[in-house]
Amino acid sequence: MKDSLVLLDRILAHPDSRCWFLAWNPSGTLLASCGGDRSVRIWGIEGDSWICKSVLCEGHQRTVRKVAWSPCGNYLASASFDATTCIWKKKEDDFECVTTLEGHENEVKSVAWAPSGNLLATCSRDKSVWVWEVDEEDEYECVSVLNSHTQDVKHVVWHPSQELLASASYDDTVKLYREEEDDWVCCATLEGHESTVWSLAFDPSGQRLASCSDDRTVRIWHQYLPGNEQGVACSSSDPSWKCVCTLSGFHSRTIYDIAWCQLTGALATACGDDAIRVFEEDPSSDPQQPTFSLMAHLPQAHSQDVNCVAWNPKERGLLASCSDDGELAFWKYQRPEGL
Amino acid sequence: MAGSQDMFDAIVMADERFHGEGYQEGYEEGSSLGIIEGRQHGTLHGAKIGSEIGCYQGFAFAWRGLLHSCATEKDSKKLKVLESLIGMIQKFPYDDPTYDKLHEDLDRIRGKFKQLCSLLNVQPDFKISAEGSGLSF
């Protein structure tokens, strides 16, 4: 199992600080990292090694917690504990901050672009989720402030093809939102985790959502549309989500991040026990009751908590991870033989 | 024989009887004190909510007056959100504390107010509390 995840490179990306999050650009050629040193760094491959191509250090006054690329790859959003979200525009090899979004009362925990590129979502410790609309002139406008969660909201992610937003919170729930008559509403609440839900990832089809939690489990939720043939009850027009699989007993500490590879369907997790794990769905399993097997388990992937895992969108098996120790690592995952 | 048993009964059961009577008295007094305290708490809490919403309403009316004359597309968007907030505030059932969607509607009003402030580029920094500004060191 150790051989299925091989180290390609290890870099001290944010010295004397934590590296909080990583994001690959849509073409898979650049990796953005952000950290407790208040900076965002852009990494590119040159020959066999990864080098730092730019450092964006003038944008924030506190830790940068998450970064996200726009679907076109020309913009990067950074969410910070200083309560703002910066939008950076790529100009050749450099980035320029074109707008700063304000409004949250305290630390912004996550930011995500919708697949259309016209919408952006942010969430914060102030318990709210904000939806922003961007027009052709790079003007951002708040279209909704959603107060559905009762505690700190840790993560937001958009559905890969629908205009559906998901959020994860310290209140142990996952909530889903959609647009209804010019306003955004919470259309589903997924309960089941017994502690903070730290991160979310949709599968390539968008029919399933994976969530990971402080309760040391991963849950897989399946979307059921009204009138579905499995007979799952739905309220009139809204789809309903049911937990179809729980992966427990694999992680010994909090699971901070989960990533679902859009190319291969492999699920990677980042854990507080310093390890990285990769799961794959058993090919013969029933889609309504899927089973996942642990394909790779790398203890001591980092010397401290692993905060993020990110699959490269173009290169199969290329996985990046980062940790509280400030390091960024690149891995090659290969499905173990005979399994 | 029966008479002497009753006499001992009164002595032997005295402890329990006094306990029971004491409990009953205490319970009744506690209940009426509780109702008074509850009413005070409700009045205070209700006033806070009323004050908060009243603040939003005043803010919205003032801005409606200011924006009414402008006719740009951006302004019409702001007006739309403004009207939506005013509508929510007017629909809110002020005389029904048992309304089951009370907190949900309140959160929606707060969210709409925040969105409006963002569009108007105004920082919502109203000091609604009775204590005034807090101390900072």
Side-chain angles (χ1 to χ4, degrees):
Chain A
M1 255 195 210
K2 217 172 168 177
D3 297 334
S4 30
L5 204 54
V6 168
L7 179 70
L8 297 173
D9 206 351
R10 197 188 282 280
I11 302 168
L12 186 56
H14 295 267
D16 297 323
S17 187
R18 292 174 216 265
C19 184
W20 276 117
F21 204 73
L22 302 170
W24 290 100
N25 67 344
S27 57
T29 55
L30 297 173
L31 181 70
S33 72
C34 62
D37 60 2
R38 309 188 297 269
S39 75
V40 173
R41 283 168 190 262
I42 312 293
W43 306 87
I45 196 157
E46 218 133 285
D48 268 341
S49 45
W50 291 83
I51 60 148
C52 182
K53 307 202 98 175
S54 349
V55 183
L56 315 177
C57 49
E58 303 281 301
H60 291 290
Q61 261 126 39
R62 286 185 63 192
T63 292
V64 185
R65 186 63 180 85
K66 293 231 166 81
V67 277
W69 293 88
S70 65
C72 63
N74 295 325
Y75 297 88
L76 185 66
S78 59
S80 167
F81 283 179
D82 68 5
T84 71
T85 304
C86 279
I87 309 293
W88 307 83
K89 187 169 184 168
K90 189 170 193 292
K91 298 216 156 122
E92 273 146 30
D93 263 348
D94 227 331
F95 287 79
E96 186 194 316
C97 179
V98 294
T99 306
T100 301
L101 304 179
E102 293 175 341
H104 279 297
E105 291 173 29
N106 45 47
E107 293 89 334
V108 187
K109 298 295 180 94
S110 187
V111 60
W113 296 85
S116 64
N118 296 331
L119 296 171
L120 188 73
T122 57
C123 67
S124 158
R125 182 168 69 81
D126 68 9
K127 307 173 200 166
S128 68
V129 170
W130 288 49
V131 182
W132 307 80
E133 201 171 67
V134 52
D135 65 17
E136 314 79 40
E137 279 125 51
D138 285 352
E139 298 271 320
Y140 289 78
E141 200 175 78
C142 174
V143 295
S144 193
V145 173
L146 297 150
N147 288 318
S148 306
H149 279 294
T150 56
Q151 296 288 353
D152 187 356
V153 191
K154 301 290 191 187
H155 197 77
V156 275
V157 69
W158 290 91
H159 187 279
S161 50
Q162 296 165 25
E163 237 151 48
L164 181 69
L165 178 65
S167 64
S169 165
Y170 180 68
D171 68 10
D172 309 351
T173 70
V174 172
K175 284 184 185 273
L176 296 161
Y177 312 87
R178 60 170 178 78
E179 197 172 5
E180 188 182 80
E181 285 169 23
D182 272 352
D183 213 347
W184 284 76
V185 296
C186 174
C187 57
T189 298
L190 311 184
E191 288 169 324
H193 278 297
E194 291 164 16
S195 188
T196 303
V197 187
W198 278 98
S199 191
L200 300 165
F202 277 100
D203 79 342
S205 72
Q207 279 221 296
R208 294 180 305 182
L209 177 63
S211 59
C212 66
S213 163
D214 176 58
D215 68 6
R216 294 168 277 139
T217 71
V218 166
R219 280 173 190 257
I220 311 289
W221 310 83
H222 194 292
Q223 181 182 49
Y224 291 95
L225 301 170
N228 63 81
E229 44 185 46
Q230 288 79 23
V232 175
C234 294
S235 67
S236 56
S237 52
D238 276 332
S240 107
W241 293 77
K242 217 176 80 165
C243 180
V244 294
C245 177
T246 301
L247 302 176
S248 53
F250 295 100
H251 300 82
S252 58
R253 291 267 152 80
T254 305
I255 311 169
Y256 289 113
D257 196 23
I258 187 158
W260 212 324
C261 183
Q262 303 294 292
L263 295 173
T264 65
L267 256 181
T269 59
C271 187
D273 64 5
D274 312 348
I276 294 176
R277 292 167 179 81
V278 181
F279 296 84
E280 288 209 59
E281 190 173 356
D282 300 329
S284 51
S285 74
D286 173 8
Q288 314 309 326
Q289 277 177 311
T291 53
F292 286 78
S293 296
L294 181 65
M295 293 299 188
H297 173 201
L298 195 67
Q300 311 285 70
H302 288 277
S303 59
Q304 288 182 52
D305 289 2
V306 189
N307 292 323
C308 178
V309 275
W311 292 103
N312 185 291
K314 296 292 179 203
E315 195 179 319
R316 294 173 85 91
L318 178 57
L319 181 70
S321 65
C322 70
S323 162
D324 271 355
D325 61 13
E327 286 187 348
L328 154 56
F330 294 90
W331 311 88
K332 179 81 187 157
Y333 166 71
Q334 242 159 339
R335 198 169 212 272
E337 294 299 308
L339 274 162
Chain B
M1 209 49 139
S4 58
Q5 276 224 307
D6 274 350
M7 179 176 64
F8 284 124
D9 238 14
I11 295 167
V12 162
M13 301 303 287
D15 193 37
E16 211 170 299
R17 188 165 37 91
F18 290 143
H19 191 272
E21 283 171 19
Y23 177 87
Q24 212 34 54
E25 265 177 51
Y27 187 89
E28 278 158 18
E29 186 168 333
S31 295
S32 57
L33 281 178
I35 289 179
I36 295 171
E37 190 181 322
R39 178 171 288 133
Q40 279 173 347
H41 182 83
T43 308
L44 212 64
H45 199 68
K48 252 194 207 163
I49 294 177
S51 170
E52 184 184 347
I53 301 186
C55 199
Y56 299 154
Q57 187 176 51
F59 177 88
F61 282 160
W63 275 98
R64 187 162 65 173
L66 289 169
L67 288 176
H68 221 60
S69 39
C70 307
T72 68
E73 209 202 292
K74 273 225 159 95
D75 285 340
S76 64
K77 241 187 192 167
K78 293 171 188 172
L79 260 170
K80 202 167 172 212
V81 174
L82 229 164
E83 293 296 346
S84 172
L85 177 63
I86 292 174
M88 278 189 213
I89 292 174
Q90 287 172 340
K91 258 176 51 193
F92 193 77
Y94 298 95
D95 49 7
D96 182 15
T98 60
Y99 172 53
D100 60 347
K101 292 222 174 109
L102 195 130
H103 287 286
E104 202 178 296
D105 281 3
L106 200 49
D107 279 337
R108 281 183 59 230
I109 289 174
R110 288 172 176 149
K112 192 53 74 171
F113 172 70
K114 283 243 170 89
Q115 186 203 346
L116 183 61
C117 287
S118 175
L119 291 174
L120 295 172
N121 216 352
V122 167
Q123 307 313 321
D125 189 27
F126 307 113
K127 294 272 184 283
I128 302 167
S129 61
E131 299 90 17
S133 57
L135 288 172
S136 65
F137 297 92

